[in-house]
Amino acid sequence: MAERVAVVGAGIAGLGAAMALARADREIVVIDRDPPAPENVETAFDTWERKGVTQLRHSHVFLGKLVSLIRDKHPRLHAMLREAGAREFDFETALPPALRDGYAREDGDQDLSFLFSRRTTLEHTMRSYVLSLPGVRFITEAGVRQLTADTAGGTPKVTGLVIERDGAAAETLAVDYVVDASGRNSVLVDWLREKRVAVEEESHPAGIIYFTRHYRLLPGQEEPPRDLLPGAGDLGYIKYGVFAGDNRHFSITICVPEIESKLRVAAMKPETFDQICRTMPGAARWIEPTRAEGVTKVFGMGNLHNVWRYFVKDGKPGVLNYFAVGDSALRTNPLYGRGCSSAVIQAHLLADVLETTSDPAARAAAYAELVRTSLRPFWDMIVKQDIGAIRRAKNEQIPGYKPRFKARLIKSFAEDAVGPASRGNLAVHRAIMKGFHMFATPAAWLRDPLVVLRVMLTWATPKRFKQALYPPKLGPERSELLS
């Protein structure tokens, strides 16, 4: 008899789970509260309502770890994404100007590519691919009302779901196990706690409000050149990023600290959003009136936290036949662009575990450990960076604030050592990008003596001799922008 798996949620995490788990001898039932996908990617962008995906029209990017996973394990999806207009931005093309002429390719560089696309295009294309896989079917416009579980053995063992379709009586779907990809507000986690399953949670605030607006290039216009003027910047009191998309679309995201109440209110107005972007040289040239036009309102997203949920304690699972992926398991500040990549990576780690053992307790423990070793270093780094960013944003509001020596030293190391070295030395740039694309831990480059030596030599070099490795000023001071 075929194994039946319920995947709750059809966002990137749920689709990633269905992709990873699909086999000829396995039935995958994807349950989604929202309606089916529209007929094409442009209609999806304009009209698709996904109440279960609050970030549907925010900026997205697939990092190299996920791009290479799709390329190697799902080559047909890789081709479908390209056909839909998604674009790969490879390592060589993304090199800083000072590194382009002397570039020498190394094995592994082919994996350090971004995939640029609107979220709606990614989901639409992934859904089409998943629907073509053996044994996969969707139940859309259906809500999950309850978990069913066998508690006879002490540890609850999930046996099914109670689902309710619009206008129909509730029905019980018996399954061998459940993959919870229902997102940060997962009701399945609440139900586990009601069944006295100890789901511990570690949470740290991201400290920002997220604002995104989409644009489209005008006929005959092209994107700005990739040069030393960055498409992303952190000014302490505000952060911004330009995200290339598919089919001549792009988006700009502004991240405003929660304590910046005036900016938070102002950024929701499209005209003010654009005005803010025009004060940031790296964003301003993208939205020149002769180059592009805004095509959406401003989308906001708040209540952002970095969250890690524990379903296994001291090697002992609190529940069997239940696996959380994506935001149901862990969340990170979307500023760092790791959410989609982490979710699909988790799904494939789960698929690997399911192939190695059939014991429910062993599966739960092995999956938790694999996720911890694979993703925890990135989560820890983001938490640490957010704590620093929250502190910096508070200090920006203190008139005449003078940072302490340690803070000045850390700032100098980032701006006068790491930044110029990564723009002027290929080995340093490659090592840092391996961590960025999740092929190495974020701090792995700090354990490479030669890379550290090159960074320290850059730090020791007088600024006048490395001036060409600094970007232009990223934007105005806080008081100037607020005025």
Side-chain angles (χ1 to χ4, degrees):
M1 185 175 178
E3 189 176 54
R4 177 185 284 174
V5 184
V7 176
V8 181
I12 298 292
L15 296 172
M19 285 163 43
L21 298 175
R23 291 189 333 195
D25 61 344
R26 182 181 284 154
E27 181 186 1
I28 308 289
V29 184
V30 182
I31 304 164
D32 192 33
R33 61 180 286 185
D34 295 322
E39 59 179 325
N40 59 59
V41 297
E42 293 305 327
T43 306
F45 181 68
D46 293 335
T47 67
W48 201 7
E49 291 299 324
R50 301 276 281 121
K51 293 179 181 179
V53 184
T54 56
Q55 65 273 42
L56 185 69
R57 288 179 176 84
H58 284 279
S59 301
H60 280 74
V61 65
F62 280 5
L63 301 180
K65 184 77 171 181
L66 177 52
V67 178
S68 61
L69 185 155
I70 292 173
R71 181 198 65 209
D72 297 341
K73 292 183 176 292
H74 307 279
R76 187 160 56 85
L77 172 60
H78 189 253
M80 289 172 66
L81 287 166
R82 299 288 290 270
E83 290 167 7
R87 295 179 294 153
E88 272 194 56
F89 192 57
D90 64 32
F91 180 71
E92 183 176 2
T93 305
L95 284 173
L99 299 179
R100 291 172 188 166
D101 290 343
Y103 171 65
R105 182 182 178 279
E106 283 190 5
D107 186 41
D109 287 356
Q110 71 277 7
D111 294 330
L112 305 180
S113 297
F114 296 96
L115 187 73
F116 291 145
S117 176
R118 292 169 291 178
R119 165 75 180 247
T120 49
T121 299
L122 294 170
E123 275 207 27
H124 190 280
T125 308
M126 289 177 69
R127 186 178 288 222
S128 296
Y129 171 72
V130 167
L131 280 167
S132 72
L133 297 176
V136 178
R137 65 185 175 97
F138 278 62
I139 300 177
T140 57
E141 299 178 282
V144 177
R145 300 296 177 234
Q146 187 59 274
L147 281 170
T148 61
D150 179 2
T151 58
T155 303
K157 182 183 291 186
V158 172
T159 58
L161 296 168
V162 178
I163 62 175
E164 191 174 282
R165 310 187 204 200
D166 188 29
E171 58 184 286
T172 299
L173 179 70
V175 299
D176 292 284
Y177 49 93
V178 168
V179 178
D180 182 0
S182 59
R184 61 177 180 167
N185 296 317
S186 169
V187 293
L188 274 67
V189 172
D190 295 335
W191 290 328
L192 288 176
R193 287 172 172 151
E194 288 176 7
K195 295 178 184 297
R196 300 189 178 183
V197 174
V199 182
E200 295 184 5
E201 188 172 293
E202 188 176 349
S203 179
H204 300 271
I208 61 168
I209 308 292
Y210 213 63
F211 301 97
T212 298
R213 191 179 189 206
H214 288 262
Y215 303 83
R216 180 173 51 226
L217 293 169
L218 294 171
Q221 295 297 309
E222 299 297 331
E223 295 174 353
R226 307 284 176 172
D227 53 25
L228 202 58
L229 185 58
D234 181 359
L235 282 75
Y237 69 93
I238 195 170
K239 302 176 177 67
Y240 74 90
V242 180
F243 294 79
D246 60 280
N247 297 299
R248 299 180 61 78
H249 285 260
F250 66 91
S251 61
I252 298 178
T253 289
I254 292 175
C255 299
V256 179
E258 291 176 337
I259 59 173
E260 290 284 0
S261 55
K262 290 183 179 179
L263 279 176
R264 287 171 52 182
V265 174
M268 282 301 297
K269 300 175 183 178
E271 62 275 12
T272 311
F273 184 95
D274 287 357
Q275 187 180 3
I276 292 171
C277 291
R278 290 191 179 100
T279 71
M280 318 288 178
R285 58 183 181 169
W286 283 78
I287 60 169
E288 293 170 352
T290 57
R291 187 190 299 274
E293 61 180 349
V295 294
T296 67
K297 64 180 184 178
V298 177
F299 300 97
M301 184 167 64
N303 191 28
L304 301 173
H305 289 75
N306 300 296
V307 176
W308 191 283
R309 286 178 173 147
Y310 299 88
F311 300 92
V312 175
K313 186 175 182 179
D314 299 326
K316 183 178 179 181
V319 61
L320 304 177
N321 296 342
Y322 166 93
F323 304 96
V325 300
D327 286 358
S328 300
L330 64 98
R331 306 202 311 263
T332 54
N333 184 341
L335 170 68
Y336 303 97
R338 301 199 186 279
C340 291
S341 298
S342 295
V344 182
I345 289 169
Q346 286 175 69
H348 285 77
L349 292 175
L350 174 60
D352 292 341
V353 167
L354 297 178
E355 295 300 320
T356 60
T357 178
S358 59
D359 178 75
R363 283 177 165 181
Y367 174 61
E369 180 61 15
L370 265 180
V371 170
R372 186 190 68 80
T373 56
S374 301
L375 299 176
R376 184 70 190 212
F378 300 98
W379 191 87
D380 286 339
M381 180 64 75
I382 289 171
V383 169
K384 182 178 179 180
Q385 289 176 324
D386 281 348
I387 290 171
I390 292 170
R391 185 187 307 118
R392 184 181 172 192
K394 290 179 180 178
N395 293 337
E396 287 280 348
Q397 297 194 350
I398 301 174
Y401 172 77
K402 299 293 183 183
R404 295 179 179 180
F405 174 75
K406 182 179 178 181
R408 296 198 307 271
L409 191 68
I410 292 172
K411 185 173 185 287
S412 176
F413 182 67
E415 295 181 358
D416 301 317
V418 179
S422 68
R423 299 181 200 107
N425 186 284
L426 182 59
V428 174
H429 182 75
R430 183 180 280 121
I432 291 174
M433 293 309 292
K434 284 181 179 178
F436 189 88
H437 283 285
M438 304 180 74
F439 286 99
T441 59
W445 65 271
L446 287 167
R447 295 189 292 273
D448 185 325
L450 290 178
V451 170
V452 172
L453 177 61
R454 291 180 173 107
V455 171
M456 298 306 288
L457 288 173
T458 302
W459 201 7
T461 302
K463 193 168 184 177
R464 65 181 181 275
F465 295 120
K466 55 185 180 185
Q467 194 64 51
L469 300 177
Y470 287 89
K473 186 177 180 181
L474 298 179
E477 300 298 326
R478 176 176 179 271
S479 59
E480 182 184 349
L481 179 65
L482 288 177
S483 69

